[in-house]
């Protein structure tokens, strides 16, 4: 008879890393669905491409590094990365954009640091920024939301558009970008930025068709869907409430201040909270456990920092949506935040207290 | 102690003197050449905008600074005047588009006194590389489109990007930059037309080193 | 003419600066800092000479004078890391090809020992005790495992044996526990 | 009113040097110490303090030398020579004084002082000040801002590298290579600040 | 002769100022967006390195210790200014595009580092060789990085060679591939850092492969070690 | 705001950070009566079953022992004896697999029971008349060590001189499965309360707090009833949460106090005892019933009849399991202790000891193996669960990187190895395992640095000595040369002035040589002294840093051994000097040593002769009465060692005491307080061992000769 040797504890609760990642992916689904409805099926094609690329890239690197491939592929972290990147880029960006982005995320930002858990930066967001500054044209190809689309695309069209930049019917992306009124439609955030830069007031800007609804057509619903998914994650105790709350708090406070000071030059807090990638960022991106702060106090600082940066860059910076930059900048600060927010260990005096 | 100090001091001074000697002599040798190079480089830009200008040195000297922030983007812009046989053939204006995507776009525009654009170049800008930077001559020919276009106050609709119904193409995904450039050039051309006294202002630019 | 002014200006400037530095060199003189001591404290004090110096202290002096920090195999990566930190340089991989092996101590097979005392002379830390012409023995606790005594022994009766594992020293290596069959 | 205008101008200058045109990540100045002394947080903090001190002092000194010695005498070609002389002397003098007067301070930043002479950022600040024709206050502020920007990224980078030290980085990338890539990603993040301060 | 070999090996590979010592990084990253810039700055640095090494080595015995550094930097600054003046006079375009990095050769840590570490301790000839080899090592890194970034970032090689060599050289410009979508990242600061990181990693992995091969052929035992297991 | 004491009296409970709620599974055994086991065929009683040093053996192989008879003696404060669990014969005193995760062999008494259960005479104490000293001695002599897990000698905790505010009785039993204390409380609440009474008499606390988890209603009722007469005994049901039974956690739970890091609860006026310990105390004092048995929970799905068993110490686990109907699976895990903190057994012959509260033989579905270890995703679940408010993911990170400084910064030493973090980790990382390895490495490294310091001192001393010898030789050579020159000059009949000069020179050389030699010797002494002081200072520093450890008796511990060490070291230095001088002379017999080569040769010959003689006979004598053959260095060494040995016995005792404590407790730098004795001891031991080996060899040769 032989005996098994193991080290204590001999008992584990059974929520595994891969199931956590699966939950995250699951919680994304409402958001993805709304995105697909409002902005076309391109997002699904992008998703497919991203996931395949992510798996391939991960597998190749693991094989080169002589590590077990299967356990690491099935932890599904690459899947989440791919998913979050795919929903961040314009749905009809050419196929090589998402391929380059995902490969960069997995290879450079994740695996070069040693793989899951070792990376300092959020892979999806680093890849997004890379794509944004490398291929600004493709990365600003947002189509008009469904109610405003002059031409609606079938799922098949989506494939054609992503791979050839023309719909199967032969419309170019530039044509597709034109709304029903023949005017190219940018995202509401971009529009606000552009119009303010052009010297319009917000009231003037809001008359445009993109701004129907609380925060622009479609975007409000997208954000709402991600909010719902995020609340599910909190309820499942997969993410802690601290980061999203702090982030939204930071963004809300600053934008409220700005709005109260000059409501015609600064969009309302609600607009900020429900535009662009705010909710996605708050619940899915800023909460990436690997690159976020891990201490309770640190998470609050980290969230507020992102919120503030988002507002500052959206308002004063050169980019319409600032989530990716803000997250990366905050990632940079995480080691320092973590270091200075260590909790007081049992039996030790609090740092700085003269007890 | 004094000895030690003076030894140090003298050593350092000696090295300094040797170095200065070397550099001073080299400076004397190269000074004319450098001055010439500098002049040439300044002329090169002017010449690009106004290829026909022959005696560019005179052009460089015949320069006045004007304060018209409304029309030329900021105050203290230089206006060079190209004259041949005492006839004023063209102005070269520094102008600035204040409403670029990420900041000011500095331009040099050559305009004939009757408001026809003879040439234009972007001198500096902060537009997004790959998107807004197609206004550079290095990146595309777009900026040369303006040569030969005339501008009158009545032309306002024509002087716009095609998206706004004008005759200048914007580039994909970036309308703001072209819009800003078009407007700036238009304003500069109008400014020349509405300010004939420009020709008479004394040359008062300090020569940039 | 400008050359003259240049010479004068910079010459005087340099003269002043030189004087300033010369003065402060005397005025603010400080004795050398005890770097060697600090380095020596980091070295493992095995005194094995594998670094190419006769003992740790000479190597410490050499490091202070700019030698590489990666020459001490017994110290291993940890020592290199600490030295790198102290000296403010990048840590380098260990120089020697082999990693430091598991800890060993010398053991004299006493019935073969002829008592020639060669090992005593070789031992850098006086960890060998014995009577001349009789047997010698190694005080296991004082032996640093440098193996310097192995070579001089004319009858090859010194072995380097792994330090025995005791419950206190035991390292919770699960692989090391034999999985036994019990009837 | 004018005061407010000045204050905002100063603030913008500071933001621009610290964040938008960060010396290390955007302008590529002072990279050697950025790479060299970022291994440990404590050393990075020491280096930051030393650099801040020297950088501010050096930009002041070089401003003085430039506008009261070189410019009047028309010796502009001696700029590099005289600036670096000033910097080297300032640095060495500071080091000696600190070494003697405050051993604790010396332990904190003494060993970094000699390194600063060869920090491009110092000479860079002096030259950029001259190029941008900053006045006295702006020169000092620019030097200070550059130093703060340098310190900020140095300290962040050091904390990051401490975490990196324990990461399971593939062997060829261990050490300098992954540090470079990290710096690259940091610089990627810093691109987010571009356009924050519009050139006036 | 073997010192020449050793010095070359050190400068070009083992102790390469850019890849190993991580010195002179600012110009290395700052001016490598085109190959032409890289060559220009590399050559300038090479000249300064050789010159300053020779002069430092010549005066090394006369220099009082506490003003050593000021003297060295002055020597270096002189060389740099000489080159600056010459470039200004004869390759004005390049002078402009190298910008501030030209005077910054003075503080290129690699140069003062060599002056301190080698030239101030060795006679003239080896110092000159050391300077040359280090300079060439540095130049090579500049070249590789410059080529990498230029190809990726704008699809060309030797863009703007005329700035360095005169108008005839614009013929040198090679369009490696043409595409509307260049990988802009390569031209921007992040690209410089990442490219450099990749180069260092490449060198490391070559070294490691070499070391592994060496270990196999040479065996590892360096010292007689008797390690029986008695008892 | 009521005072803390009022709050405690009023029954306020506090909370501690973290904690987990694993399924408890106690009902399997808690409602069943305690099983009584038949006598096993063999009992394996380890010498040492507590933290500390084992006592001196009192019995010999083959001896008949009575039930309760002491097998070892408690000759030292950190020692508690072990007793024979039943009457029978000592079959052997040998090595046997230890109940320790390492499963390394340790010394045991193997006892064959005779089935008669004959007790030794028993003398119960009258608690009313007995004084404290007597009670404490009785507790110690009865072999009582903490039964809550750590096995710390109870008499030390009970004999504390510091004022005690609260005696906390740990009846929490928070680990899943275990119900041994529960069963005991149901069975014998009054005895437990008597135990509390005894400790109250010893410690005189303001209040007694009995912490017990809410899911043990019967035990709570029983204890409440038993305590009803005593108004300062408070039974405090606490919420079910693991690890509320941890000492520090329970203190925080019941009193809202924290034990400062590196200190003992005693420092904040608290003493905690497990209920089992109190029961044992009552039995020992009132019945003179030493600790020879305990209740062990034997449970798990592979058992037909899981139950609490009253087991004799020394009972092999195999017997216990088969008593409960063990049906092993092919790949069976058998855990000694609970599922959270217990360790697996590699073999079932391991005996039950004083700290064994549970034997768990789960089926594979019941407690499945941990899955493959994935990468830490820094989710922070571990930090949320850690009762010590540590950052386990950070500790993991630095444990992997072997960054010991950082581990210290992140307070690895405050980890109580409760396993809560590993329980919640989604990546199934065996966190505790990493910490244990890291802790072992840190300990090892501390030992190494200590050793390195000693090695350095010795190396320097040796260098100084070699240098001195070289100087001396040089001086001699010079002198000889001068003499030769003189002779030559004399024969050559040079002028007198030169001759005189030469003489003066020679003389000078001589005196220089002499003085310098003396100086060097003195300097060497000085250096050694400095080295020792250096070490001592370091030790002192380390000691003050960790004052917590030594505070029980700080002065004697930190002072005594040092003095002894200095004295010993001086003695050793002298002995060594003599020894090495003789080695030099006798072994190489070099001419420069003596001026007259002939004389030297004679001396060498004598030495050789004596050495030969020594080789044949003196080995046996050495340890009893060293023959005054002063040339023999080994003898000198032996003599010195023996001389030292006595002078230092006290010191070594201290040292080993501390060593024993370190085994349990992380901060090893403790032993810095007595570095010299630690390195002194082995020397003595080595010589002794060598002699023993020589003896054995001689005996072997002899017997061979006799046979042959
Ligand atoms: C990161 C980023 C950089 C951009 N840079 C520019 C730019 O430099 N110039 C420009 O005109 N538009 C730029 N844009 C695009 C504008 O935001 C906007 O999409 C566009 O100009 C709207 O005009 P259009 O659709 O009418 O072309 C950029 C957009 C993004 C997201
Ligand atoms: C995580 C952990 C859990 C513990 N749980 C209990 C427990 O449930 N019951 C108990 O008596 N001791 C428990 N202990 C041991 C106590 O900390 C403490 O050692 C004991 O109560 C002291 O009493 P003793 O000296 O009588 O053994 C636990 C220790 C740890 C580290
Ligand atoms: C090395 C060591 C020294 C101790 N010294 C004392 C002491 O002086 N006084 C005391 O009351 N308890 C002392 N203890 C007992 C502990 O405080 C604690 O009760 C014991 O370790 C059991 O706790 P546990 O099972 O939770 O680990 C000591 C324990 C150890 C390990
Ligand atoms: C709540 C949660 C959020 C996540 N967010 C991201 C994300 O924003 N970007 C990303 O690349 N991966 C994300 N991941 C997946 C995973 O953590 C990521 O791939 C690691 O950063 C890779 O080391 C997330 C995972 C979880 C559990
Ligand atoms: S190699 Fe040996 S002698 Fe040299 S420093 Fe290391 S331990 Fe000491
Ligand atoms: S060297 Fe060998 S033979 Fe000689 S004394 Fe030492 S062990 Fe004995
Ligand atoms: S619970 Fe596990 S995966 Fe989560 S942070 Fe802790 S160690 Fe990492
Ligand atoms: S084992 Fe240590 S780190 Fe883990 S939860 Fe328990 S005390 Fe905290
Ligand atoms: S080259 Fe070294 S700091 Fe710039």
């Amino acid at each position: 008879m032989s005996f098994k040797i193991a080290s204590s504890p001999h008992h584990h609760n059974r929520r595994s890393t891969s199931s956590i990642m699966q939950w995250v992916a699951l919680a994304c689904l409402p958001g993805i669905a709304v995105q697909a409805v409002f902005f076309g099926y391109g997002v699904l094609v992008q998703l497919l491409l991203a996931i395949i690329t992510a798996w391939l890239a991960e597998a190749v690197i693991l094989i080169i590094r002589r590590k077990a491939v299967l356990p690491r592929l099935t932890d599904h972290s690459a899947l989440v990365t791919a998913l979050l990147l795919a929903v961040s880029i314009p749905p009809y960006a050419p196929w090589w954009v998402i391929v380059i982005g995902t490969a960069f995320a997995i290879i450079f930002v994740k695996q070069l640091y040693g793989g899951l858990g070792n990376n300092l930066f959020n892979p999806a967001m680093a890849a997004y920024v890379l794509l944004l500054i490398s291929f600004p044209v493709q990365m600003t190809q947002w189509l008009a939301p469904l109610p405003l689309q002059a031409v609606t695309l079938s799922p098949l069209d989506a494939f054609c558009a992503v791979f050839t930049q023309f719909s199967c019917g032969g419309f170019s992306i530039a044509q597709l970008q034109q709304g029903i009124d023949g005017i190219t439609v940018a995202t509401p955030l971009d529009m606000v930025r552009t119009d303010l830069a052009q010297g319009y007031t917000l009231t003037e800007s809001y008359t445009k068709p993109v701004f129907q609804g609380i925060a622009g057509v479609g975007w409000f619903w997208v954000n709402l869907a991600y909010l719902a998914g995020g609340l599910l994650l909190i309820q499942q105790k997969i993410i802690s409430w601290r980061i999203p709350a702090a982030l939204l708090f930071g963004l809300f406070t600053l934008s409220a201040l700005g709005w109260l000071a000059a409501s015609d030059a600064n969009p309302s807090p609600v607009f900020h909270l429900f535009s662009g990638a705010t909710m996605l960022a708050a619940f899915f991106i800023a909460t990436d456990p690997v690159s976020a702060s891990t201490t309770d106090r640190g998470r609050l600082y980290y969230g507020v920092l992102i919120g503030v940066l988002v507002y500052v860059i959206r308002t004063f910076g050169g980019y319409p949506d600032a989530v990716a930059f803000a997250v990366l900048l905050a990632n940079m600060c995480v080691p320092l935040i973590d270091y200075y927010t260590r909790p007081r260990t049992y039996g030790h005096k609090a740092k700085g207290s003269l007890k | 102690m004094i000895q030690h100090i003076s030894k140090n001091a003298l050593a350092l001074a000696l090295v300094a003197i040797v170095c200065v000697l070397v550099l001073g002599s080299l400076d004397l040798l190269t000074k004319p050449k450098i001055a010439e190079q500098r002049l040439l480089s300044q002329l090169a830009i002017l010449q690009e905008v106004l290829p026909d200008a022959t005696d560019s040195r005179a052009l460089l000297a015949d320069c006045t600074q004007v304060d018209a922030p409304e029309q030329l983007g900021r105050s203290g812009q230089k206006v060079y005047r190209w004259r041949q046989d005492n006839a004023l053939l063209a102005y070269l204006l520094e102008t600035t588009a204040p409403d670029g995507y990420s900041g000011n776009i500095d331009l040099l525009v050559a305009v004939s006194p009757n408001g026809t654009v003879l040439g234009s170049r972007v001198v500096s800008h902060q537009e997004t590389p790959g998107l807004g930077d197609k206004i550079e001559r290095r990146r595309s020919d777009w900026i040369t489109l303006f040569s030969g276009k005339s501008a009158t106050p009545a032309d306002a609709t024509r002087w716009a990007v095609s998206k706004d119904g004008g005759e200048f193409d914007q580039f994909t995904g970036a309308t703001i930059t072209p819009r800003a450039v078009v407007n700036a050039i238009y304003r500069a051309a109008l400014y020349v037309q509405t300010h004939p006294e420009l020709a008479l202002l004394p040359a008062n630019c300090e020569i940039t080193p | 003419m400008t050359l003259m002014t240049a010479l004068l200006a910079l010459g005087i400037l340099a003269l002043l600066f030189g004087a300033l530095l010369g003065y402060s060199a005397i005025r603010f003189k400080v004795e050398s800092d005890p770097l060697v001591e600090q380095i020596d404290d980091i070295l493992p004090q095995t005194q094995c000479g594998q670094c190419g110096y006769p003992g740790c202290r000479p190597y410490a002096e050499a490091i202070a004078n700019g030698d590489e920090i990666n020459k001490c195999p017994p110290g291993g990566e940890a020592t290199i890391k600490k030295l790198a930190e102290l000296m403010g340089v990048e840590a380098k991989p260990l120089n020697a090809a082999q990693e430091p092996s598991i800890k060993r101590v010398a053991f004299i097979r006493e019935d073969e020992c002829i008592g020639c005392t060669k090992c005593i002379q070789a031992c850098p830390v006086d960890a060998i005790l014995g009577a001349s012409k009789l047997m010698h023995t190694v005080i296991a606790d004082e032996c640093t495992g440098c193996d310097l005594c192995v070579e001089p022994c004319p009858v090859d009766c010194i072995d380097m044996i792994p330090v025995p594992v005791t419950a206190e020293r035991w390292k919770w290596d699960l692989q090391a526990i034999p999985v036994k069959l019990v009837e | 009113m004018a005061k407010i205008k000045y204050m905002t101008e100063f603030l913008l200058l500071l933001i621009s040097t610290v964040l938008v045109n960060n010396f290390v990540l955007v302008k590529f100045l002072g990279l050697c110490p950025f790479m060299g002394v970022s291994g440990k947080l404590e050393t990075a903090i020491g280096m930051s303090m030393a650099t801040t001190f020297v950088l501010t002092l050096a930009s002041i000194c070089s401003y003085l030398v430039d506008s009261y010695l070189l410019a009047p005498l028309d010796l502009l070609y001696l700029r590099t020579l005289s600036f670096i002389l000033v910097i080297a002397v300032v640095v060495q003098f500071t080091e000696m004084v600190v070494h003697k007067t405050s051993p604790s301070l010396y332990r904190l930043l003494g060993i970094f002082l000699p390194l600063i002479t060869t920090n491009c950022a110092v000479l860079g600040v002096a030259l950029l000040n001259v190029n941008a024709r900053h006045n006295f206050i702006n020169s000092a502020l620019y030097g200070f801002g550059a130093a703060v920007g340098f310190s900020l990224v140095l300290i962040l980078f050091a904390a990051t590298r401490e975490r990196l030290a324990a990461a399971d980085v593939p062997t060829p990338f261990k050490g300098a290579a992954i540090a470079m890539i990290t710096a690259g990603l940091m610089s990627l993040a810093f691109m987010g600040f571009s356009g924050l301060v519009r050139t006036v | 002769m073997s010192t020449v070999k050793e010095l070359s090996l050190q400068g070009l590979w083992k102790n390469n100022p850019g890849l190993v010592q991580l010195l002179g990084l600012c110009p290395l990253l700052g001016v490598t967006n085109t190959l032409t810039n890289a060559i220009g700055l590399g050559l300038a640095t090479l000249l300064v390195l050789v010159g300053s090494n020779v002069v430092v080595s010549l005066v090394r015995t006369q220099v009082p210790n506490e003003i050593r550094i000021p003297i060295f930097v002055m020597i270096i600054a002189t060389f740099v200014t000489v080159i600056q003046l010459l470039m200004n006079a004869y390759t004005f375009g390049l002078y402009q595009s190298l910008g501030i990095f030209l005077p910054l050769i003075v503080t290129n840590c690699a140069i003062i580092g060599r002056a301190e570490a080698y030239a101030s301790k060795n006679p003239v000839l080896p110092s000159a060789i050391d300077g040359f080899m280090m300079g060439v090592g540095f130049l090579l890194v500049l070249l590789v990085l410059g080529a990498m970034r230029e190809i990726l970032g704008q699809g060309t090689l030797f863009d703007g060679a005329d700035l360095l060599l005169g108008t005839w050289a614009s013929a040198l410009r090679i369009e490696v591939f043409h595409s509307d979508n260049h990988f802009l990242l390569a031209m921007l600061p992040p690209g410089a850092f990442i490219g450099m990181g990749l180069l260092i990693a490449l060198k490391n992995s070559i070294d490691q492969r070499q070391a592994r091969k060496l270990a196999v052929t040479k065996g590892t035992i360096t010292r007689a070690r008797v390690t029986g297991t008695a008892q | 705001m009521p005072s803390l004491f009022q709050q405690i009296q009023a029954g306020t409970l506090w909370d501690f950070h973290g904690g987990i709620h694993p399924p408890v599974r106690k009902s399997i055994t808690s409602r069943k009566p305690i099983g009584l086991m038949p006598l096993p065929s063999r009992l394996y009683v380890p010498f040492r079953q507590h933290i500390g040093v084992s006592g001196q053996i009192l019995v010999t192989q083959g001896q008949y022992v009575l039930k309760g008879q002491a097998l070892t003696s408690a000759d030292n404060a950190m020692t508690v004896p072990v007793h024979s669990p039943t009457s029978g014969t000592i079959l052997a005193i040998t090595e046997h697999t230890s109940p320790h995760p390492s499963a390394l062999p340790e010394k045991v008494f193997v006892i064959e029971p005779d089935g008669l259960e004959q007790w030794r005479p028993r003398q119960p104490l009258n608690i009313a008349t007995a004084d404290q000293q007597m009670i404490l001695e009785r507790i110690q002599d009865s072999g009582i060590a903490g039964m809550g897990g750590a096995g710390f000698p109870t008499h030390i905790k009970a004999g504390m001189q510091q004022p005690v505010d609260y005696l906390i009785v740990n009846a929490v039993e928070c680990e899943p499965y275990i119900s041994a204390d529960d069963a005991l409380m149901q069975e014998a609440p009054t005895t437990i309360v008597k135990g509390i009474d005894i400790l109250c008499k010893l410690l005189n606390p303001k209040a007694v707090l009995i912490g017990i988890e809410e899911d043990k209603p019967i035990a709570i009722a029983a204890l409440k009833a038993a305590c009803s007469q005593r108004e300062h005994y408070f039974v405090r049901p606490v919420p079910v949460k693991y690890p509320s039974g941890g000492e520090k956690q329970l203190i925080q739970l019941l009193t809202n106090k924290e034990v400062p890091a590196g200190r003992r609860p005693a420092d904040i006026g608290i003493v905690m005892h497990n209920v089992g310990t109190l029961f044992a105390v009552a039995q020992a004092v009132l019945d003179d019933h030493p600790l020879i048995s305990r209740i062990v929970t034997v449970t798990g799905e592979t058992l037909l009849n899981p139950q609490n068993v009253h087991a004799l110490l020394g009972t092999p686990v195999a017997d216990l399991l088969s008593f409960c109907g063990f049906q092993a699976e092919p790949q069976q895990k058998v855990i000694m202790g609970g599922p959270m903190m217990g360790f697996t057994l590699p073999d079932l012959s391991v005996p039950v000891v004083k700290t064994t509260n549970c034997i768990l033989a789960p089926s594979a579905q019941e407690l499945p193996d941990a899955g493959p270890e994935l990468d830490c995703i820094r989710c922070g679940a571990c930090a949320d669960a850690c009762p010590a408010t540590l950052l386990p993911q950070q500790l993991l990170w630095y444990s992997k990187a072997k960054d010991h400084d950082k581990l210290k910064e992140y307070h690895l030493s405050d980890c109580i190895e409760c396993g809560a973090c590993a329980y919640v980790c989604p990546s199934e990382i065996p966190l505790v395992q990493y910490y244990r390895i890291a802790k072992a490495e840190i300990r090892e490294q501390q030992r190494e640095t200590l050793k390195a310091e000693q090695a350095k001192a010795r190396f320097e001393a040796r260098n100084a000595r070699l240098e001195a010898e070289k100087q001396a030789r040089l001086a001699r050579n010079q002198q000889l040369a001068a003499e030769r020159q003189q002779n030559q000059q004399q024969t050559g009949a040079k002028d007198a002035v030169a001759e005189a000069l030469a003489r003066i020179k020679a003389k000078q050389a001589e005196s220089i040589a002499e003085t310098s030699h003396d100086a060097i010797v003195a300097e060497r002494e000085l250096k050694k002294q400095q080295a020792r002081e250096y070490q001592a200072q370091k030790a002192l520093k380390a000691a003050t840093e960790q004052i917590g450890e030594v505070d029980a008796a700080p002065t004697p511990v930190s002072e005594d051994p040092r003095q002894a060490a200095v004295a010993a070291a001086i003695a050793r230095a002298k002995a060594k000097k003599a020894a090495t001088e003789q080695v030099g002379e006798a072994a190489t017999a070099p001419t420069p040593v003596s001026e007259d080569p002939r004389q030297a040769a004679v001396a060498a010959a004598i030495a050789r002769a004596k050495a030969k003689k020594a080789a044949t006979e003196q080995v046996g004598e050495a340890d009893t009465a060293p023959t005054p053959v002063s040339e023999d260095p080994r003898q000198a060494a032996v003599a010195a060692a023996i001389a030292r040995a006595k002078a230092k016995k006290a010191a070594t005792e201290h040292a080993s005491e501390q060593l024993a404590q370190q085994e349990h407790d992380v901060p090893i730098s403790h032993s810095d307080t007595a570095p010299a004795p630690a390195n002194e001891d082995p020397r003595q031991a080595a010589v002794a061992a060598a002699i023993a080996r020589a003896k054995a060899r001689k005996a072997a040769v002899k017997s061979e000769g006799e046979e042959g």
Side-chain angles (χ1 to χ4, degrees), chain D residues 57-122:
Chain D
L57 197 62
S59 52
I60 292 174
C61 287
S62 54
Y63 175 81
L64 295 178
V65 168
D66 189 65
S67 47
Y68 295 107
L69 192 67
L70 299 181
L73 296 179
D74 193 21
L75 297 176
L76 300 182
Y77 64 94
L78 287 182
R79 261 180 193 157
T80 315
L81 184 69
S82 43
F83 285 179
I84 194 71
L85 179 65
V86 169
I87 291 167
V89 170
V90 165
V91 167
Q92 193 144 8
F93 181 71
T94 319
E95 186 201 350
M96 286 183 196
V97 173
V98 171
H99 199 168
K100 181 72 184 181
T101 51
S102 166
S104 56
L105 193 63
Y106 183 75
R107 219 178 318 117
L108 213 61
L109 35 111
I111 45 170
F112 304 117
L113 283 167
L115 285 176
I116 293 177
T117 314
T118 56
N119 183 338
C120 301
V122 185

Side-chain angles (χ1 to χ4, degrees), chain F residues 389-430:
Chain F
T389 334
L390 294 165
L391 290 174
Q393 81 275 19
Q394 228 53 21
L395 293 174
L396 166 75
W397 191 264
Y398 293 119
S399 299
K400 278 183 165 175
K402 299 199 191 308
D403 189 339
H404 295 170
D405 295 337
K406 282 281 177 204
L407 285 174
K408 200 169 162 213
E409 206 178 323
Y410 282 87
H411 307 307
L412 174 65
S413 56
D414 287 296
C415 167
I416 57 170
E417 301 185 15
C418 66
C421 49
Y423 175 80
V424 297
C425 177
S427 291
E428 308 225 18
I429 303 170

Side-chain angles (χ1 to χ4, degrees), chain E residues 28 31-35 38 140-151 156-157:
Chain E
L28 198 54
V31 302
T32 46
N33 44 6
T34 67
L35 192 53
L140 285 180
V141 181
L142 275 167
L143 285 188
V144 176
L145 197 60
M148 253 166 63
R149 290 180 63 192
E150 192 179 338
I151 292 181
T156 60
L157 275 179

Side-chain angles (χ1 to χ4, degrees), chain A residues 65 67 112-114 120 316 318 325, chain D residues 160 168 170 182 190 192 194-195:
Chain A
R65 294 200 66 197
K67 296 204 165 190
L112 277 197
Y113 285 88
L120 296 164
F316 307 107
F325 289 106
Chain D
T160 313
D168 177 28
T182 308
F190 259 72
S194 72

